[in-house]
Amino acid sequence: MSDPTGAPAPPARSRRGLRRLASQAVEDAQLAHPRTALVSLGLLCALILGGALIPVPYVIEQPGPAIDVLGEYRDEEIVQIDGVETYPTDGSLMMTTVSVDGGPGYVVTPVDVVVSWFDRSRAVMPRELMFPPDQTREQTTLDNAVQMSTSQQGAVAVALEELGIEYEPVVMIAGVQQGAPADGHLEPGDVLLEIDGETAADLPGFQALVRGAEEGRALPITVRRDDQEVALEVPTEIVDGTPRLGVVLSEGYDFPMDVEIAVGDIGGPSAGMIFSLSVYDELTPGALTGGRAIAGTGTISPDGTVGSIGGIRQKMVGARDADAEFFLAPRDNCDQVLGYEPDGLEVVAVGSFDEALRATETIAATGGVDGLPTCEDQ
């Protein structure tokens, strides 16, 4: 029998073989599709996961610990004053902190950013708003340490000024750059007395003595360290044609008593106001807080002005989490405070040390903030 085209018809056995081949081809195709889908899905998941882990140029601020400066930190008394009578106290004066993720040397991912967008206690901002583009982790650490050191010096000076206790200005080593020529020779807190046999009356004067150093020669430097004069030979390096020690010099003070404020590796200037209140409390009879838990933040300048700081919303949350009842906020931060005050935390606006002191005394006496300025009044 022939098919209509005139070609011989295939045997029945051959036709059965063709059907088996076609069926197998269909089965193979059906199996291939799931495999391809699974491979594609795996690749897509890998791409999504990889993209989610790619570092992005943002920083995330979130609440850090609130630390009672009248107490201890890491088993060490925070405010230590020797050489003058001090008085027992009660209550809490809490410095507040912010934890910053994504600074130089640290990574923030898109997942971190998205999660933070839905958390009112966090803030996301471009890294360039907080750190210079080329700043390293070591430079950030040094900057924070210098700011903390100078803040503590200024805080003590303001408290003593309020108490009528005299002190003298000095020039001191506020920080030493890791790996710099002075590293291992000079230490933070050293008071400069002489450079190459000469002294100076102020910070610019000592900076000029460093710039005048001879290239390649160690610089004779005399400092006061732990009430002892120490003579050193400190190497220098030439940077952009100018001799450098690799230190940060700052204006400091020679107090008639030894005051040490120990907060470990916490840096920055924003605890200045709380440090001033704490030193004042230690040097005056009675409990300044009246036994209340008071937190706060704000820089302090030599004339007692309380300056604005970053992360005020996160600091208020940290204060509430530490069971603070009251919070002293810089007046210049009030626009960031309004609408973000945590439940149960009374916020008082202050613009100077005198105002912060008066607010603390009022809270101690009355247990409330009636009559004190709030951010709603500003």
Side-chain angles (χ1 to χ4, degrees), residues 160-294:
L160 297 191
E161 186 78 24
E162 183 71 23
L163 293 168
I165 300 174
E166 296 183 354
Y167 52 87
E168 297 293 330
V170 296
V171 176
M172 61 184 292
I173 307 295
V176 180
Q177 184 178 345
Q178 184 178 355
D183 192 9
H185 299 275
L186 296 172
E187 299 178 3
D190 286 347
V191 175
L192 283 176
L193 300 177
E194 290 185 352
I195 293 181
D196 205 9
E198 298 185 52
T199 189
D202 52 23
L203 179 60
F206 276 110
Q207 290 172 330
L209 291 176
V210 174
R211 289 194 299 269
E214 296 179 18
E215 183 175 352
R217 182 173 75 91
L219 197 57
I221 296 179
T222 302
V223 300
R224 184 169 63 249
R225 179 185 300 168
D226 298 329
D227 295 326
Q228 301 290 325
E229 286 194 13
V230 181
L232 304 163
E233 296 284 328
V234 184
T236 61
E237 63 180 351
I238 304 300
V239 179
D240 298 329
T242 302
R244 303 279 187 185
L245 294 170
V247 300
V248 179
L249 303 182
S250 73
E251 296 175 342
Y253 305 97
D254 184 13
F255 302 119
M257 75 283 289
D258 293 327
V259 183
E260 183 177 352
I261 302 175
V263 289
D265 57 359
I266 297 174
S270 64
M273 176 190 66
I274 289 294
F275 288 152
S276 286
L277 290 172
S278 301
V279 171
Y280 182 93
D281 192 7
E282 295 269 353
L283 294 175
T284 53
L288 179 62
T289 67
R292 301 290 181 175
I294 302 174

Side-chain angles (χ1 to χ4, degrees), residues 62-189:
Q62 53 190 321
I67 301 166
D68 179 15
V69 180
L70 300 177
E72 295 183 348
Y73 181 68
R74 295 180 179 175
D75 299 323
E76 184 177 11
E77 201 75 23
I78 294 177
V79 177
Q80 303 174 50
I81 304 176
D82 295 317
V84 68
E85 185 177 9
T86 58
Y87 301 88
T89 188
D90 194 13
S92 300
L93 284 170
M94 302 180 193
M95 61 176 283
T96 49
T97 64
V98 173
S99 174
V100 179
D101 294 335
Y106 298 92
V107 171
V108 162
T109 69
V111 172
D112 298 324
V113 171
V114 172
V115 169
S116 298
W117 280 339
F118 293 94
D119 187 341
R120 276 173 58 90
S121 72
R122 298 185 181 187
V124 179
M125 64 188 69
R127 183 185 298 154
E128 63 191 25
L129 294 182
M130 292 189 66
F131 303 100
D134 56 350
Q135 183 161 308
T136 65
R137 183 188 301 185
E138 291 73 22
Q139 289 171 329
T140 301
T141 300
L142 177 61
D143 287 349
N144 285 337
V146 167
Q147 290 173 352
M148 175 60 78
S149 174
T150 54
S151 172
Q152 292 175 352
Q153 284 277 302
V156 176
V158 168
L160 297 191
E161 186 78 24
E162 183 71 23
L163 293 168
I165 300 174
E166 296 183 354
Y167 52 87
E168 297 293 330
V170 296
V171 176
M172 61 184 292
I173 307 295
V176 180
Q177 184 178 345
Q178 184 178 355
D183 192 9
H185 299 275
L186 296 172
E187 299 178 3

